[in-house]
Amino acid sequence: MGDSWGEKGKPFRRSTSTAVDWLTPEQITERMSEVYAIRLLDALDGAGPHVRSHDGRRLNPT
């Protein structure tokens, strides 16, 4: 089983996860594919809902 974060920031084992880690925005863009990274970066920017089009791997040009 993988690690998941529980209450008070403590990791615990869960069958639906493979790993848990805290990442900086720079690490997010380095480690994740473009479409997953942009979801997290959008959530961190606090600028409200974002609508993006993608093919499952890359953002589509606007």
Side-chain angles (χ1 to χ4, degrees):
M1 290 196 284
D3 295 327
S4 291
W5 293 100
E7 291 184 38
K8 300 181 184 177
K10 304 275 185 198
F12 65 93
R13 305 296 248 167
R14 174 176 278 174
S15 64
T16 59
S17 59
T18 58
V20 174
D21 202 358
W22 293 107
L23 301 176
T24 65
E26 293 78 23
Q27 290 170 318
I28 290 170
T29 57
E30 291 170 0
R31 296 184 188 186
M32 301 180 82
S33 69
E34 187 175 46
V35 295
Y36 289 106
I38 199 67
R39 289 178 185 171
L40 291 177
L41 296 173
D42 283 350
L44 292 173
D45 78 7
H50 298 277
V51 177
R52 304 201 187 264
S53 175
H54 60 83
D55 65 5
R57 290 186 47 88
R58 300 260 180 221
L59 294 173
N60 294 329
T62 55

